[in-house]
Amino acid sequence: MRKILTLLVAVLLVLTATVTMLSLVSCGDPTSGNNPGTNPGTTPGTTPEEEERIPLDVPDVNYEVGGEKTPYHILEWACGNQDSAGQSWIPWEEGHVDEEDGDMLASAVFRRNAWVEQQFGVDISKEYVSIEGNPGFVNRVTTNASTSANEFQLITLRTLDIFTLIQEELYLDMNTYKDTILHTDQPWWVQDSIKSFTLGSHLYVASTEMLLRDKGATATLYFNQTMAKDYEELPNFFDLVDNDEWTIEQMQLACEMVAHSNDGDDEMNSTDDVWGCFGGDDPVYYLFNAFGYKFAHIDNFGYVEYDFGEDDSITVMQDIFLDFMYADYYFNLEADKALLEEGEHLFSESNSLFYSSLVKDTTTKLKNMPDLYGILPHPMLDEDQDDYSSLVWVHHDSSVGIPKHVTDPEMCAIILEALSWESYYSVYPTFYETILLNRAAKDEDSKRMLQVIFAHRSYDPGQYYDSGSGASGLHGGDGLLRLTGTGSADIAGKWAQFEDNVEENIRKVNGWIAGNEE
């Protein structure tokens, strides 16, 4: 296998004709231990046929019976009434496309499914169910399991909700087929998700390259290149990233340089003013992760270890509030609901230098932005930090799992592996090159920055395994996520309020893991 991967890299280097492509090979090497598996499957400018593929290693089977293909139905989560691509919660179709309509990404998904259907005799379809309302996504999954209805063979779910369903024992342990069907050590599986979602010796959900919404849920920092050119004192942000000098101090200096009152009252209080950075509450987490911190990690035995409150994590979080979220240059979209509608397009209308958000906004909120924008990773804490880090945000992220009570779990696993394998070589490169590079990132520097972002995506287990105090406690509700709206930076006090509850929740998770190990 090592020889095959070495040959693959050699072929890529030969095909590479520009410095940008060389950079992509080094950042996207599938053999790299630091790459979480979201590297492009092919070098830009090549096709899958021009690259030697790692062979698909699954049983040679066909599930067509009497001229009828076996259904392979994918249940996907949605939010509200959104059930089609091109929206905030579903920026791209990832599971199934009815027909080729000229859109390159949709066509790639269509062709991938057509190949899998023909190869294995299955009929792939998908259905969206909202995580809200009645019966809702969770109830739909639970009902299917209790009645053994076998309605769907694969489920995508929002990462924030994974433990709610895992502890209900609704998902098959994918390690049942590890190395025989599901080759989770291969690059079409997102490696950091494997590490973060493994509980004990079991893997119930993970991210693979058949998914697109998990890529869209990656934290990204945008900046207005047209505006930046008006300030000669501003440094070249791309150079700072390249030289490992892109730090929060550099970003703060740039914000302070640009921000100014523009309506005559000498106060930063309206959407008419020019702001240094625009965003909501979520950048609290984007920056904490970008600084190299997590709320929890998975230890070598598959147990959750909570890290917040240790070392200087509380001080670092407090500084994010005091020096960034509450700075005069930061426009918090969520903190002032009266300005919510007006501020929605603050960045796209060129009233803010930076915009802290997610990759998916390239297809939605920024699609028709008149000014040229650039793409950057969120800054490091200081130059002593080892590398950049881009958080995969739990509220918009997707992962996949196989329902535990399906009639033929082996078939479900084979098709998942085939979809993920083919996506790595065809769908994901199309996503990366067409959607991000050619449509979103308008310049070569931003293309290079995207390589940095995708090579250093990061999951934070503390945000989803602390389920009891997560959505309604420390990470939401009246916890850290909404603290920005109060003007307070009492992180130590907030941690004291939730510490016992968080620790109890983690004990419950680890107790559940231990019970499954017996």
Side-chain angles (χ1 to χ4, degrees), residues 3 22 35 66 121 128 149 179 196 236 238 269 282 303 316 327 368 372 376 459 479:
K3 291 181 179 179
L22 285 171
N35 192 326
Y128 288 110
D179 299 330
S196 298
N236 185 306
F238 299 127
N269 57 11
D282 300 344
Y303 289 88
V316 168
N368 298 314
L372 177 67
L376 300 167
Y459 293 78

Side-chain angles (χ1 to χ4, degrees), residues 32-296:
S32 171
N34 294 326
N35 192 326
T38 53
N39 49 291
T42 61
T43 302
T46 69
T47 65
E49 290 73 20
E50 294 173 321
E51 178 184 315
E52 183 171 339
R53 296 188 178 202
I54 301 171
L56 175 62
D57 185 12
V58 296
D60 184 12
V61 292
N62 191 289
Y63 294 100
E64 185 172 331
V65 179
E68 294 292 329
K69 293 182 177 180
T70 297
Y72 191 86
H73 193 48
I74 304 172
L75 182 72
E76 296 210 53
W77 71 275
C79 187
N81 296 320
Q82 300 185 39
D83 59 359
S84 60
Q87 305 171 77
S88 176
W89 291 92
I90 310 173
W92 310 284
E93 297 284 13
E94 58 191 2
H96 172 75
V97 174
D98 291 328
E99 59 183 4
E100 295 190 75
D101 59 1
D103 181 271
M104 293 184 66
L105 182 58
S107 295
V109 172
F110 178 87
R111 290 193 296 269
R112 175 202 67 191
N113 285 14
W115 177 83
V116 172
E117 289 175 332
Q118 179 180 15
Q119 185 74 19
F120 296 96
V122 295
D123 181 19
I124 300 172
S125 59
K126 66 118 183 2
E127 173 187 358
Y128 288 110
V129 174
S130 177
I131 56 177
E132 305 166 336
N134 188 18
F137 183 87
V138 173
N139 286 338
R140 181 68 183 280
V141 176
T142 304
T143 301
N144 178 74
S146 63
T147 61
S148 299
N150 199 40
E151 287 185 88
F152 30 83
Q153 286 66 49
L154 188 69
I155 303 174
T156 73
L157 70 161
R158 187 170 64 157
T159 302
L160 183 66
D161 305 318
I162 63 172
F163 192 66
T164 300
L165 293 174
I166 286 175
Q167 65 183 339
E168 295 292 332
E169 299 185 1
L170 300 176
Y171 289 89
L172 179 75
D173 177 13
M174 291 192 285
N175 282 341
T176 303
Y177 298 107
K178 183 178 180 180
D179 299 330
T180 57
I181 295 173
L182 301 176
H183 301 278
T184 55
D185 60 337
Q186 293 296 341
W188 45 89
W189 290 81
V190 180
Q191 294 306 306
D192 198 47
S193 81
I194 304 296
K195 180 179 180 181
S196 298
F197 298 158
T198 293
L199 297 177
S201 59
H202 305 284
L203 180 67
Y204 299 98
V205 299
S207 291
T208 84
E209 297 301 8
M210 74 156 284
L211 296 173
L212 295 175
R213 283 198 282 176
D214 69 316
K215 283 68 171 173
T218 306
T220 306
L221 187 67
Y222 302 93
F223 77 98
N224 189 314
Q225 295 201 63
T226 304
M227 180 186 295
K229 290 179 180 179
D230 294 334
Y231 296 85
E232 296 181 358
E233 303 88 347
L234 287 176
N236 185 306
F237 302 128
F238 299 127
D239 288 345
L240 291 178
V241 174
D242 290 336
N243 296 325
D244 293 330
E245 298 171 349
W246 178 231
T247 64
I248 186 60
E249 181 181 5
Q250 291 283 1
M251 182 179 175
Q252 288 171 322
L253 290 173
C255 288
E256 292 169 354
M257 190 179 301
V258 170
H260 64 272
S261 175
N262 204 36
D263 55 9
D265 63 1
D266 294 327
E267 294 183 7
M268 300 294 293
N269 57 11
S270 78
T271 54
D272 293 325
D273 297 327
V274 177
W275 298 81
C277 187
F278 163 67
D281 297 330
D282 300 344
V284 165
Y285 292 99
Y286 304 162
L287 288 172
F288 190 66
N289 182 270
F291 294 170
Y293 291 81
K294 291 185 178 183
F295 283 90

Side-chain angles (χ1 to χ4, degrees), residues 450-470:
L450 280 169
Q451 296 159 15
V452 174
I453 290 169
F454 276 99
H456 300 97
R457 298 172 75 229
S458 175
Y459 293 78
D460 187 344
Q463 293 180 1
Y464 39 88
Y465 289 134
D466 172 26
S467 55
S469 69

